Amino acid sequence: MQAARHVVVALSGGVDSAVAALLLRRRGYQVTGVFMKNWDSLDEHGVCTADRDCEDAYRVCRILDIPFHQVSYVKEYWNDVFSDFLSEYEKGRTPNPDIVCNKHIKFSCFFHYAVDNLGADAVATGHYARTSLEDEEVFQQKHIRRPEGLFRNRFEVRNVVKLLQAADSFKDQTFFLSQVSQDALRRTLFPLGGLTKDFVKKIAAENRLHHVLQKKESMGICFVGKRNFENFILQYLQPRPGKFISIEDNKVLGTHKGWFLYTLGQRAKIGGLREPWYVVEKDGTKGDVFVAPRTDHPALYRDLLRTNRVHWIAEEPPAALVRDKMMECHFRFRHQMALVCRLL
C-alpha cells in the first residue's frame, strides 16, 4: 500500500490557510503545518502580533490533529524583502513587498525547508490561485537541478506549469504570486483556488475553526500594520523636504517630507487644501512633487509603460513575442485592478 502523500502547509494564523490544511487532510494526505515568523512587530497594545498569529496557527494544528512546526525567517526577510523595499522607495519607486516575500520567503526559504527538512512531496498555501496541474501531477514532479553558469538560460523546462486565476475573481491573488519560480510552482497545491471566500468561511464555521474565522482579514503591508505609513518609513529613510507644485501653473501648493513617499497617481494630502490633488511627476534632484487636480486630468494618463527585466513564470518569453517582437497581453500593476489589454 502506498504511503499517504506528505503535504506541508504554510499556516499564517488566518482562516484561509487553516481551511487549506483542513481540505488537504480531507483528501487523505499526511499534512504538516508550518508557521513562519518573518517580522518582529508590536501592535498598539505592545503585543507581538507574530506570537499571537503563531498561537492561532498552533490551535489550528491541534484541532486538525496534524504536526506543527515554527520557523524564523526574520533575518532573510530583512535582507531580501525589507532592505529591497527601502532601497526601492529611496529611488522613488513603489515596491510591493508581498510579491517579493512570496518570491524569496514563502516559495524559496519555506519551500526548501518543507522539501529538504520535512520531506514534503508538495507544499500548499491558502492563496486564492490555481495552476495547470492536478494534485496527482504535482506529486509526480521532481526537483530538477539546473546547470549553473553560461548555459543556465538555455536549460529547457518541459511541461511548463501555468499560474491560473482563482475561481473567485475578487479574491484572486495571482498578482502576489507573479514572481514565484517554476520549480516551486510545479510542487505547490492551492486548495482554495476553486472556492469563494464566503464558502471558505462556511467551511471554517462548520469545522470548529471559529478562532481564525473571527479574526479581521489582514490588509496592507504586514510590517507597517496600523501605523502611519509616512511616520514608519521616515524611521528608516532620511527626510528630504520639498514642495508640491501644480502641473498647470507651477504654483507652490504646499510642502512635504520626502518626494520618495509618494506614488504616481496617488492622492497627495496637501495641508490647507480641501480639493484633492494627485501625483503626476516627481523630481528626485530638487525634491519637488508635481500634482494635478481631478482624477481625469490629462497629465495623469500615459500611453507608454517601460519595465526592466521581466520575470517569465514559464522561464522563457512567449513564442509570439520572440517571433514578432510584440504581442497583445493583459496586465495590472495593482491587486484587484481590472486587467488592461495592451501591446507588449
Side-chain angles (χ1 to χ4, degrees), residues 9-23 60 124-128 171 173 191-192 195-201 204 209 212-213 217-218:
V9 185
L11 291 177
S12 65
V15 65
D16 293 330
S17 58
V19 171
L22 167 67
L23 295 176
V60 168
T125 72
H127 286 100
Y128 288 82
K171 285 297 298 178
Q173 293 174 304
L192 308 188
L195 307 180
T196 64
K197 180 72 175 192
D198 287 341
F199 192 60
V200 167
K201 289 181 177 180
L209 296 171
V212 291
L213 183 59
E217 194 162 358
S218 59

Side-chain angles (χ1 to χ4, degrees), residues 128-130 163-167 169 172 174 193 332 339:
Y128 288 82
R130 297 178 298 131
L163 177 64
L164 306 176
Q165 289 182 292
S169 58
D172 174 66
T174 48
R332 60 165 57 102
L339 285 169

